[in-house]
Amino acid sequence: MKESEVQKQILDYLALKRVFHYRNNSGAFVDSQKHFYRFGAKGSPDIICIIKGRYVGLEVKTPKGKLSDDQIAFHRNLMAADGIVFTVRSLDEAIEAVEDTMKRLPSP
């Protein structure tokens, strides 16, 4: 299954569970005049959620997909700032991560 298909399943699940979330696009491109544009934070997770007042990132990968150096650095910095981040490879892994987080975190 493609990463984009797994992302869609996860986004549908989060909407169904009424978890505040959004798809976080990041990347870069060069226009026809050779101007370079970057959007989003380099290495940031694919999906951002707020669960009980905490930032929870979901980085979606295929079963063989690997985190980039920028993603690893972003995840470390996020965790150092008391954020939470998961690398998930399926809808089931995302459900487990979100449900566990909802149970573990105290209400704000």
Side-chain angles (χ1 to χ4, degrees):
M1 183 176 294
K2 292 180 182 179
E3 186 177 301
S4 60
E5 294 169 331
V6 176
Q7 281 181 12
K8 172 77 169 94
Q9 291 177 343
I10 294 168
L11 292 168
D12 289 346
Y13 159 76
L14 293 168
L16 181 69
K17 294 296 282 187
R18 295 187 173 158
V19 173
F20 177 80
H21 69 282
Y22 61 93
R23 169 73 175 94
N24 182 46
N25 292 310
S26 63
F29 68 94
V30 177
D31 68 12
S32 61
Q33 282 88 37
K34 305 213 188 291
H35 296 114
F36 179 80
Y37 298 93
R38 177 169 299 286
F39 53 95
K42 206 171 187 184
S44 59
D46 295 310
I47 301 170
I48 309 299
C49 307
I50 304 298
I51 299 175
K52 295 187 178 181
R54 295 279 294 278
Y55 179 114
V56 179
L58 301 175
E59 179 61 44
V60 182
K61 293 290 182 192
T62 61
K64 293 182 181 181
K66 297 183 190 265
L67 294 173
S68 70
D69 290 341
D70 290 327
Q71 289 169 327
I72 292 167
F74 191 97
H75 292 190
R76 284 186 184 142
N77 290 334
L78 177 59
M79 290 184 290
D82 211 22
I84 300 167
V85 65
F86 298 96
T87 301
V88 296
R89 298 175 186 283
S90 67
L91 174 60
D92 289 339
E93 285 186 15
I95 291 171
E96 183 178 341
V98 169
E99 296 291 331
D100 183 56
T101 300
M102 291 171 119
K103 289 176 190 171
R104 284 188 303 116
L105 291 178
S107 293

